[in-house]
Amino acid sequence: MLYELTEEQRMLQDMVRRLAREQIAPGAAERDRKGEFPWDMVEVFRENGLFGCDFKEEYGGSQMGVLAYCLAVEEVAKVCASSSVVLLVHELGSMPMLLAASDQQKKKWLPGLASGEHLIAFGLTEPGAGSDAAGIRTVAIKKGDKYIINGTKQFISHADVAQYVCVACKTDADLPPHKGGLSIIVVEKGTPGFAIGKKEDKMGIRASTTCELIFEDCEVPAENILGREGDGFAILMKTLDFTRPCVAAQALGIAQGALDYAVAYARERQQFGRAIIKNQGLAWMLADMDTAVEASRQLVYKTAAVFQEISKDLSKVPREAIRLSAMSKLMAAETAMKVTTDAVQVLGGYGYVKEYPVERMMRDAKITQIYEGTSQVQKMVIASCL
Ligand code: COS
């Protein structure tokens, strides 16, 4: 399948590029230094309707689709990866609802999410369940018209600022998670028995908050379950199929941002009486970086275009799309790590200090090889499609 950006997508791309330059880039270093959740960026995204890009018009969105969302994420990530996580986590947390909520649930939850009035988080990972998504131990036992949740989630992005968290729980101890043992339940902020635990002090994406969730006899209305009891594993896997291209777009943006900076620097920086870009060793390094970034872009946009098509009928994600989703994330994340590391090399000593942005970009790039499935998990997924 071939894609071509539409007029509407190009306009969005230009708009976010301008926002990134004028309103997001200037505070990026300080956001990284402070390590506080960027509410001012949330406001910028709200004002410009970015949260609702991938939501249907009937729920208050602009229905522009996954590719448009990826374009927005890429532009923001070029200048500030932390700020782009706000958009990523919104898509990740909303996706189980977009995929599996009833019409009534959608009417209740989606408009507030489409406008960005409410934020949402995704609660899968636990101390003993990360790559092994089936290893979840948090339990939800049905009692009357309630589920009682007990367990701990770990490394959950933005749960401390979210109105809702989609929590993956075991609802049947006797059934394997992939065979009906797992469900997704929406827990609202302030529900008694739901507390935020330890907040992580991270290497990168420092303005994005990451925390532990503690559920102690947390009572949630049974009507907050997404789909039917036991649908959880399939919803989780489909969610990740849809959102991995968005992480790939983030990685792509980080890589492009670092490449642009390194090229501009190499054209200016004089050593041995000439601009360092004239040295073949560095010129070839920049050529390799540019090639990898462009290859990643093609894969990310193609994958997003494929998912845009699929989203017209969400009943099944074809194997070819699962394969592309994992490939786009793998390729873009590996490229981001390599390109940002090489950008630091191009800047030499200046690359290693916080006065220049490539140091931050290199730290930010690392997470793209880890979250929403490590690069090794992506290879497992790709291999399983062969
Ligand atoms: N999309 C849709 N369905 C999928 C899928 C995918 N990406 N991966 C697996 N499935 C389905 C399989 O088709 C299978 O269905 P059937 O039972 O109907 O045949 C079922 O799920 C079980 O598959 P499998 O036996 O391969 O499951 P595993 O427990 O071995 O898990 C991986 C496979 C590793 C791919 C899965 O656990 C995973 O994606 N882990 C990473 C999770 C992750 O990203 N964690 C990061 C934190 S989330 S921010």
Side-chain angles (χ1 to χ4, degrees):
M1 179 183 170
L2 291 172
Y3 69 87
E4 193 179 346
L5 295 189
T6 61
E7 179 71 19
E8 190 188 42
Q9 287 162 343
R10 286 195 185 282
M11 278 168 64
L12 178 87
Q13 193 180 39
D14 286 347
M15 188 267 279
V16 185
R17 195 168 287 166
R18 199 179 58 249
L19 277 183
R21 193 176 55 242
E22 294 171 1
Q23 297 190 45
I24 304 171
E30 195 179 351
R31 257 172 250 128
D32 174 65
R33 191 175 53 73
K34 275 192 177 164
E36 290 168 7
F37 185 75
W39 282 109
D40 53 342
M41 294 298 105
V42 171
E43 206 43 54
V44 169
F45 299 153
R46 280 177 183 154
E47 279 168 9
N48 290 279
L50 295 187
F51 286 115
C53 264
D54 194 22
F55 285 67
K56 286 194 174 153
E57 281 172 354
E58 61 182 302
Y59 300 118
S62 53
Q63 208 165 319
M64 292 177 75
V66 186
L67 178 51
Y69 211 77
C70 285
L71 294 171
V73 167
E74 179 190 350
E75 292 306 320
V76 176
K78 278 183 192 171
V79 299
C80 181
S82 279
S83 299
S84 69
V85 184
V86 174
L87 292 175
L88 283 186
V89 173
H90 204 68
E91 182 81 348
L92 177 68
S94 306
M95 194 52 70
M97 290 185 180
L98 297 175
L99 291 170
S102 66
D103 285 346
Q104 208 183 347
Q105 289 174 324
K106 285 181 179 165
K107 277 189 196 122
K108 182 175 168 195
W109 291 320
L110 296 189
L113 293 170
S115 67
E117 180 193 349
H118 294 149
L119 300 181
I120 185 162
F122 178 74
L124 186 167
T125 304
E126 299 185 357
S131 294
D132 180 8
I136 287 169
R137 292 169 87 166
T138 295
V139 290
I141 309 290
K142 197 165 182 193
K143 273 203 185 139
D145 60 355
K146 300 246 191 302
Y147 278 103
I148 318 291
I149 306 182
N150 279 287
T152 304
K153 298 281 172 186
Q154 197 182 26
F155 300 148
I156 308 302
S157 304
H158 302 177
D160 56 332
V161 293
Q163 183 68 21
Y164 309 107
V165 188
C166 289
V167 183
C169 311
K170 283 196 83 168
T171 39
D172 191 326
D174 299 329
L175 287 175
H178 340 84
K179 304 280 177 210
L182 208 70
S183 302
I184 312 290
I185 298 172
V186 177
V187 180
E188 195 158 351
K189 178 181 178 173
T191 306
F194 166 37
I196 302 294
K198 178 184 166 212
K199 290 194 188 169
E200 304 296 342
D201 186 7
K202 305 191 298 292
M203 171 195 281
I205 54 162
R206 290 186 54 79
S208 151
T209 49
T210 308
C211 43
E212 186 183 44
L213 311 187
I214 300 160
F215 298 95
E216 281 175 342
D217 292 329
C218 173
E219 288 190 14
V220 179
E223 65 194 27
N224 283 17
I225 193 164
L226 295 180
R228 283 166 313 180
E229 196 175 285
D231 283 352
F233 196 78
I235 300 172
L236 283 183
M237 291 299 110
K238 267 195 193 176
T239 294
L240 294 166
D241 292 334
F242 269 88
T243 57
R244 283 174 180 156
C246 302
V247 180
Q250 179 193 40
L252 170 64
I254 297 171
Q256 184 71 62
L259 172 63
D260 291 346
Y261 202 90
V263 170
Y265 180 89
R267 289 162 67 104
E268 286 292 316
R269 171 77 172 165
Q270 301 278 322
Q271 290 288 274
F272 307 108
R274 59 182 179 171
I276 61 171
I277 199 168
K278 300 280 184 203
N279 296 325
Q280 196 179 52
L282 280 190
W284 284 16
M285 190 188 267
L286 290 164
D288 284 341
M289 291 156 76
D290 191 27
T291 305
V293 170
E294 191 54 37
S296 299
R297 175 168 293 107
Q298 297 304 317
L299 196 47
V300 173
Y301 288 11
K302 174 180 169 158
T303 305
V306 165
F307 274 86
Q308 194 133 313
E309 250 336 272
I310 295 170
S311 59
K312 291 174 188 159
D313 169 16
L314 294 171
S315 56
K316 186 156 169 51
V317 183
R319 181 171 287 237
E320 173 61 4
I322 295 173
R323 169 179 164 271
L324 280 172
S325 168
M327 279 182 168
S328 66
K329 162 94 164 50
L330 172 67
M331 173 81 184
E334 294 302 305
T335 296
M337 198 64 245
K338 176 85 172 77
V339 166
T340 53
T341 307
D342 288 347
V344 169
Q345 192 66 21
V346 171
L347 268 77
Y350 294 104
Y352 200 66
V353 295
K354 290 188 187 293
E355 202 178 330
Y356 293 80
V358 290
E359 176 269 347
R360 166 171 51 84
M361 291 167 170
M362 183 177 159
R363 285 185 286 107
D364 288 342
K366 186 65 201 167
I367 192 63
T368 66
Q369 294 176 304
I370 298 172
Y371 62 11
E372 293 192 41
T374 60
S375 288
Q376 291 70 27
V377 162
Q378 307 313 322
K379 290 182 192 184
M380 284 168 73
V381 174
I382 298 161
S384 75
C385 294
L386 295 178

